[in-house]
Amino acid sequence: MQLAIDLAFATKGQTSPNPSVGAIIVNNGKIAGVGTHLKSGEEHAEDLALQMAGNKAKGATLYVTLEPCSHFGKRPPCINFIIESGIKRVVIGSKDKNPLVAGKGIRELQNANIEVETGILKEKTDQLNQEFNHFIRTNMPFVTLKTAISLDGKMATSAGESKWITGEDARRDVHYYRHQHDAILVGVGTILKDDPLLTTRLPNGGKNPIRIILDHQLRTPIDARVIQDSSAETWIVTGGNISSKKIRLYEQNHVKIIDMANGISLLDLLPRLGELGVTSLFVEGGATVNTIFLNSKLVNQMIVYIATKLIGGSEAPTFFAGEGFQQMKDALNLQLESVERIGADIKIVAQPIHDKNVEDE
């Protein structure tokens, strides 16, 4: 199962809106077939593993990270292929949260007298598809907020200089997350200050996310790189009252204006993005955007890179601004997932715990 998880993890970002799935077929203690879903619309992990195993699938055990599908989508259901192959036993990591599947695949396997075992390395297989599971449950994208700060919590100097707080290794790691998400979001302030490209730049290439800009009054310069560069789509979210003439100046093949007539509200925007097929959102904003997301309790995961340097200065910005919490019991608590060293920097991955407070000791 761990090998199946590793195979599936290697495809994160490629399979959206489908989950990442890995499959291994073992016959007499030997691996007979392996497979992983590579892209939406293409063959599923189980199909590929069965093709590789051929006749060796008969009487074998199939290890798969996610419950096999039992419905027709872009591909026929995997259940039929598994039953026809003569597989004797299926070991499943997680049950599928998709109501079109949700236990139906397991029941069909059992009805075909195939032994089924579930929940193997479930915590890892659930985490593998946390974005997909969240989207299926809420119809909104899974939100990851990323920030880079100094050891004393500063995003930049008091003069606004922020390049570069972290080292090259940490910055490269950020591009892996861009590759894995459907969209990346920033505020117009980031565009005006840095004129970023907001694409994925990895040694062996990568998938570019849709670039989303929160721009209430449509102040993004027409010559900004996100407008002129066509290597990724750019969606600009405005707050209404923008003239159609001005909007036409921006609309190109890769530029889309999402005009929120009553102003930009994340509670309205995230379901809208879900309707447009965005299942995962990578927020790389400044203090203002970060604060809006955190105060709205819409962040599902935080990734914080901490540089081992001190910046100081009472006017130097922190990544969580606004008025802050007046009482410690109201502070936003986080559940720590991992801490690791990346080059000279520290990377923390954590999940906000909403509506829970630490009790007084």
Side-chain angles (χ1 to χ4, degrees):
M1 185 61 76
Q2 184 61 57
L3 179 56
I5 292 170
D6 293 341
L7 282 172
F9 188 82
T11 68
K12 277 186 74 72
Q14 297 180 193
T15 63
S16 181
N18 291 353
S20 298
V21 181
I24 307 290
I25 294 174
V26 177
N27 191 321
N28 292 323
K30 296 180 180 179
I31 292 177
V34 300
T36 185
H37 184 43
L38 297 176
K39 186 179 180 182
S40 176
E42 295 187 0
E43 292 171 301
H44 291 183
E46 302 95 317
D47 302 346
L48 293 169
L50 288 168
Q51 289 175 31
M52 181 180 290
N55 292 332
K56 292 180 181 178
K58 190 172 183 177
T61 296
L62 167 66
Y63 295 85
V64 61
T65 57
L66 188 67
E67 176 182 357
C69 65
S70 56
H71 68 288
F72 280 88
K74 293 181 178 179
R75 303 287 306 176
C78 299
I79 288 296
N80 296 349
F81 300 128
I82 296 171
I83 294 173
E84 292 167 2
S85 72
I87 285 284
K88 181 181 180 180
R89 177 170 172 255
V90 177
V91 180
I92 297 169
S94 299
K95 294 181 181 179
D96 198 326
K97 304 298 189 296
N98 187 338
L100 293 174
V101 182
K104 296 177 184 177
I106 293 173
R107 287 194 295 273
E108 290 196 31
L109 291 172
Q110 291 171 333
N111 290 339
N113 295 318
I114 295 174
E115 180 186 348
V116 178
E117 186 176 355
T118 62
I120 304 304
L121 296 185
K122 181 179 182 298
E123 185 175 343
K124 290 185 176 181
T125 53
D126 281 348
Q127 187 175 36
L128 171 68
N129 284 308
Q130 60 182 348
E131 298 89 353
F132 171 80
N133 293 336
H134 174 83
F135 180 75
I136 286 293
R137 181 172 57 84
T138 66
N139 293 315
M140 295 194 299
F142 182 95
V143 176
T144 298
L145 187 151
K146 163 263 169 182
T147 191
I149 58 175
S150 61
L151 195 59
D152 54 341
K154 307 298 184 180
M155 289 184 69
T157 68
S158 57
E161 183 182 349
S162 59
K163 294 186 177 179
W164 294 105
I165 288 181
T166 54
E168 184 177 344
D169 291 339
R171 298 198 300 273
R172 185 185 302 113
D173 193 57
V174 171
H175 286 269
Y176 284 103
Y177 284 104
R178 289 185 178 183
H179 167 78
Q180 292 173 4
H181 285 75
D182 289 340
I184 179 174
L185 182 145
V186 300
V188 67
T190 296
I191 302 297
L192 295 173
K193 177 177 176 291
D194 299 329
D195 191 22
L197 198 55
L198 300 180
T199 53
T200 298
R201 296 181 294 281
L202 292 170
N204 296 314
K207 176 180 69 69
N208 288 325
I210 298 166
R211 300 172 290 203
I212 299 176
I213 304 164
L214 301 184
D215 186 357
H216 186 81
Q217 297 178 327
L218 195 50
R219 294 187 293 145
T220 300
I222 201 69
D223 61 350
R225 293 203 290 173
V226 292
I227 302 297
Q228 297 302 317
D229 171 70
S230 61
S231 60
E233 291 185 65
T234 297
W235 297 354
I236 304 178
V237 182
T238 65
N241 298 319
I242 307 297
S243 71
S244 56
K245 181 179 180 181
K246 186 173 185 180
I247 289 175
R248 283 196 297 271
L249 293 175
Y250 288 83
E251 289 184 326
Q252 306 171 28
N253 290 335
H254 72 283
V255 179
K256 175 187 182 74
I257 303 296
I258 300 176
D259 200 22
M260 309 290 287
N262 299 317
I264 299 175
S265 163
L266 293 183
L267 291 174
D268 293 330
L269 177 60
L270 291 189
R272 179 82 173 273
L273 295 180
E275 292 173 359
L276 293 170
V278 176
T279 66
S280 57
L281 182 65
F282 194 52
V283 177
E284 281 199 65
T288 300
V289 168
N290 291 345
T291 300
I292 293 172
F293 270 91
L294 289 167
N295 283 339
S296 299
K297 298 183 178 180
L298 291 170
V299 176
N300 304 108
Q301 178 177 250
M302 290 189 62
I303 300 172
V304 183
Y305 297 91
I306 303 176
T308 51
K309 62 181 65 170
L310 300 173
I311 292 177
S314 59
E315 300 301 316
T318 60
F319 79 90
F320 190 11
E323 295 182 0
F325 299 106
Q326 301 302 308
Q327 295 182 303
M328 190 60 69
K329 69 179 181 65
D330 297 322
L332 179 58
N333 295 304
L334 305 175
Q335 179 177 316
L336 195 63
E337 290 188 356
S338 64
V339 180
E340 62 179 296
R341 181 171 178 172
I342 298 186
D345 305 311
I346 300 166
K347 172 186 171 184
I348 295 177
V349 180
Q351 289 191 347
I353 305 173
H354 298 303
D355 301 322
K356 291 183 180 180
N357 294 310
V358 176
E359 297 293 333
D360 293 337
E361 297 182 351

PDB file of all heavy atoms in Angstrom, residues 199-212:
ATOM      1  N   THR A 199       3.859  31.350 -12.412  1.00  0.00           N
ATOM      2  CA  THR A 199       3.859  30.073 -13.113  1.00  0.00           C
ATOM      3  C   THR A 199       4.704  29.072 -12.323  1.00  0.00           C
ATOM      4  O   THR A 199       5.359  29.427 -11.338  1.00  0.00           O
ATOM      5  CB  THR A 199       4.420  30.211 -14.531  1.00  0.00           C
ATOM      6  OG1 THR A 199       5.711  30.845 -14.468  1.00  0.00           O
ATOM      7  CG2 THR A 199       3.499  31.036 -15.411  1.00  0.00           C
ATOM      8  N   THR A 200       4.686  27.822 -12.777  1.00  0.00           N
ATOM      9  CA  THR A 200       5.487  26.769 -12.147  1.00  0.00           C
ATOM     10  C   THR A 200       6.812  26.634 -12.865  1.00  0.00           C
ATOM     11  O   THR A 200       6.840  26.432 -14.082  1.00  0.00           O
ATOM     12  CB  THR A 200       4.739  25.424 -12.205  1.00  0.00           C
ATOM     13  OG1 THR A 200       3.517  25.549 -11.468  1.00  0.00           O
ATOM     14  CG2 THR A 200       5.580  24.305 -11.608  1.00  0.00           C
ATOM     15  N   ARG A 201       7.879  26.765 -12.118  1.00  0.00           N
ATOM     16  CA  ARG A 201       9.209  26.659 -12.724  1.00  0.00           C
ATOM     17  C   ARG A 201      10.022  25.620 -11.947  1.00  0.00           C
ATOM     18  O   ARG A 201      10.648  25.920 -10.933  1.00  0.00           O
ATOM     19  CB  ARG A 201       9.901  28.029 -12.728  1.00  0.00           C
ATOM     20  CG  ARG A 201       9.154  29.038 -13.598  1.00  0.00           C
ATOM     21  CD  ARG A 201       9.818  30.392 -13.659  1.00  0.00           C
ATOM     22  NE  ARG A 201       9.818  31.098 -12.387  1.00  0.00           N
ATOM     23  CZ  ARG A 201       8.770  31.758 -11.901  1.00  0.00           C
ATOM     24  NH1 ARG A 201       7.626  31.762 -12.548  1.00  0.00           N
ATOM     25  NH2 ARG A 201       8.853  32.408 -10.744  1.00  0.00           N
ATOM     26  N   LEU A 202       9.953  24.397 -12.456  1.00  0.00           N
ATOM     27  CA  LEU A 202      10.681  23.273 -11.876  1.00  0.00           C
ATOM     28  C   LEU A 202      11.730  22.787 -12.867  1.00  0.00           C
ATOM     29  O   LEU A 202      11.592  23.022 -14.080  1.00  0.00           O
ATOM     30  CB  LEU A 202       9.704  22.134 -11.546  1.00  0.00           C
ATOM     31  CG  LEU A 202       8.708  22.411 -10.417  1.00  0.00           C
ATOM     32  CD1 LEU A 202       7.658  21.320 -10.345  1.00  0.00           C
ATOM     33  CD2 LEU A 202       9.427  22.556  -9.081  1.00  0.00           C
ATOM     34  N   PRO A 203      12.757  22.101 -12.391  1.00  0.00           N
ATOM     35  CA  PRO A 203      13.831  21.650 -13.291  1.00  0.00           C
ATOM     36  C   PRO A 203      13.334  20.843 -14.486  1.00  0.00           C
ATOM     37  O   PRO A 203      13.849  20.972 -15.584  1.00  0.00           O
ATOM     38  CB  PRO A 203      14.714  20.799 -12.364  1.00  0.00           C
ATOM     39  CG  PRO A 203      14.492  21.359 -10.998  1.00  0.00           C
ATOM     40  CD  PRO A 203      13.058  21.781 -10.977  1.00  0.00           C
ATOM     41  N   ASN A 204      12.300  20.010 -14.268  1.00  0.00           N
ATOM     42  CA  ASN A 204      11.775  19.175 -15.348  1.00  0.00           C
ATOM     43  C   ASN A 204      10.408  19.644 -15.828  1.00  0.00           C
ATOM     44  O   ASN A 204       9.621  18.871 -16.350  1.00  0.00           O
ATOM     45  CB  ASN A 204      11.690  17.715 -14.895  1.00  0.00           C
ATOM     46  CG  ASN A 204      13.063  17.142 -14.604  1.00  0.00           C
ATOM     47  OD1 ASN A 204      14.002  17.319 -15.377  1.00  0.00           O
ATOM     48  ND2 ASN A 204      13.200  16.454 -13.478  1.00  0.00           N
ATOM     49  N   GLY A 205      10.112  20.926 -15.653  1.00  0.00           N
ATOM     50  CA  GLY A 205       8.826  21.463 -16.072  1.00  0.00           C
ATOM     51  C   GLY A 205       7.786  21.303 -14.979  1.00  0.00           C
ATOM     52  O   GLY A 205       8.095  21.075 -13.819  1.00  0.00           O
ATOM     53  N   GLY A 206       6.526  21.416 -15.353  1.00  0.00           N
ATOM     54  CA  GLY A 206       5.444  21.309 -14.371  1.00  0.00           C
ATOM     55  C   GLY A 206       4.177  21.927 -14.918  1.00  0.00           C
ATOM     56  O   GLY A 206       4.182  22.574 -15.965  1.00  0.00           O
ATOM     57  N   LYS A 207       3.075  21.730 -14.203  1.00  0.00           N
ATOM     58  CA  LYS A 207       1.777  22.248 -14.616  1.00  0.00           C
ATOM     59  C   LYS A 207       1.596  23.650 -14.056  1.00  0.00           C
ATOM     60  O   LYS A 207       1.770  23.882 -12.863  1.00  0.00           O
ATOM     61  CB  LYS A 207       0.659  21.332 -14.105  1.00  0.00           C
ATOM     62  CG  LYS A 207      -0.756  21.833 -14.407  1.00  0.00           C
ATOM     63  CD  LYS A 207      -1.789  20.874 -13.862  1.00  0.00           C
ATOM     64  CE  LYS A 207      -1.834  20.876 -12.358  1.00  0.00           C
ATOM     65  NZ  LYS A 207      -2.355  22.123 -11.780  1.00  0.00           N
ATOM     66  N   ASN A 208       1.222  24.581 -14.917  1.00  0.00           N
ATOM     67  CA  ASN A 208       0.947  25.937 -14.465  1.00  0.00           C
ATOM     68  C   ASN A 208      -0.475  26.040 -13.928  1.00  0.00           C
ATOM     69  O   ASN A 208      -1.425  25.640 -14.597  1.00  0.00           O
ATOM     70  CB  ASN A 208       1.107  26.934 -15.618  1.00  0.00           C
ATOM     71  CG  ASN A 208       2.547  27.142 -16.012  1.00  0.00           C
ATOM     72  OD1 ASN A 208       3.436  27.124 -15.160  1.00  0.00           O
ATOM     73  ND2 ASN A 208       2.794  27.330 -17.292  1.00  0.00           N
ATOM     74  N   PRO A 209      -0.644  26.584 -12.730  1.00  0.00           N
ATOM     75  CA  PRO A 209      -1.999  26.768 -12.205  1.00  0.00           C
ATOM     76  C   PRO A 209      -2.677  27.963 -12.868  1.00  0.00           C
ATOM     77  O   PRO A 209      -2.013  28.835 -13.445  1.00  0.00           O
ATOM     78  CB  PRO A 209      -1.751  27.046 -10.720  1.00  0.00           C
ATOM     79  CG  PRO A 209      -0.401  27.702 -10.693  1.00  0.00           C
ATOM     80  CD  PRO A 209       0.389  27.063 -11.803  1.00  0.00           C
ATOM     81  N   ILE A 210      -3.994  28.002 -12.791  1.00  0.00           N
ATOM     82  CA  ILE A 210      -4.723  29.204 -13.194  1.00  0.00           C
ATOM     83  C   ILE A 210      -4.319  30.326 -12.251  1.00  0.00           C
ATOM     84  O   ILE A 210      -4.248  30.150 -11.036  1.00  0.00           O
ATOM     85  CB  ILE A 210      -6.244  28.961 -13.107  1.00  0.00           C
ATOM     86  CG1 ILE A 210      -6.664  27.842 -14.057  1.00  0.00           C
ATOM     87  CG2 ILE A 210      -7.018  30.242 -13.418  1.00  0.00           C
ATOM     88  CD1 ILE A 210      -8.068  27.324 -13.793  1.00  0.00           C
ATOM     89  N   ARG A 211      -4.056  31.502 -12.793  1.00  0.00           N
ATOM     90  CA  ARG A 211      -3.660  32.649 -11.971  1.00  0.00           C
ATOM     91  C   ARG A 211      -4.905  33.480 -11.650  1.00  0.00           C
ATOM     92  O   ARG A 211      -5.575  33.971 -12.567  1.00  0.00           O
ATOM     93  CB  ARG A 211      -2.627  33.492 -12.719  1.00  0.00           C
ATOM     94  CG  ARG A 211      -1.373  32.719 -13.058  1.00  0.00           C
ATOM     95  CD  ARG A 211      -0.424  33.458 -13.961  1.00  0.00           C
ATOM     96  NE  ARG A 211      -0.917  33.619 -15.318  1.00  0.00           N
ATOM     97  CZ  ARG A 211      -0.146  33.825 -16.375  1.00  0.00           C
ATOM     98  NH1 ARG A 211       1.157  33.891 -16.246  1.00  0.00           N
ATOM     99  NH2 ARG A 211      -0.681  33.975 -17.574  1.00  0.00           N
ATOM    100  N   ILE A 212      -5.202  33.641 -10.351  1.00  0.00           N
ATOM    101  CA  ILE A 212      -6.381  34.393  -9.919  1.00  0.00           C
ATOM    102  C   ILE A 212      -5.920  35.620  -9.145  1.00  0.00           C
ATOM    103  O   ILE A 212      -5.119  35.517  -8.217  1.00  0.00           O
ATOM    104  CB  ILE A 212      -7.297  33.523  -9.053  1.00  0.00           C
ATOM    105  CG1 ILE A 212      -7.789  32.304  -9.857  1.00  0.00           C
ATOM    106  CG2 ILE A 212      -8.484  34.335  -8.547  1.00  0.00           C
ATOM    107  CD1 ILE A 212      -8.628  31.340  -9.054  1.00  0.00           C
TER     108      ILE A 212
END
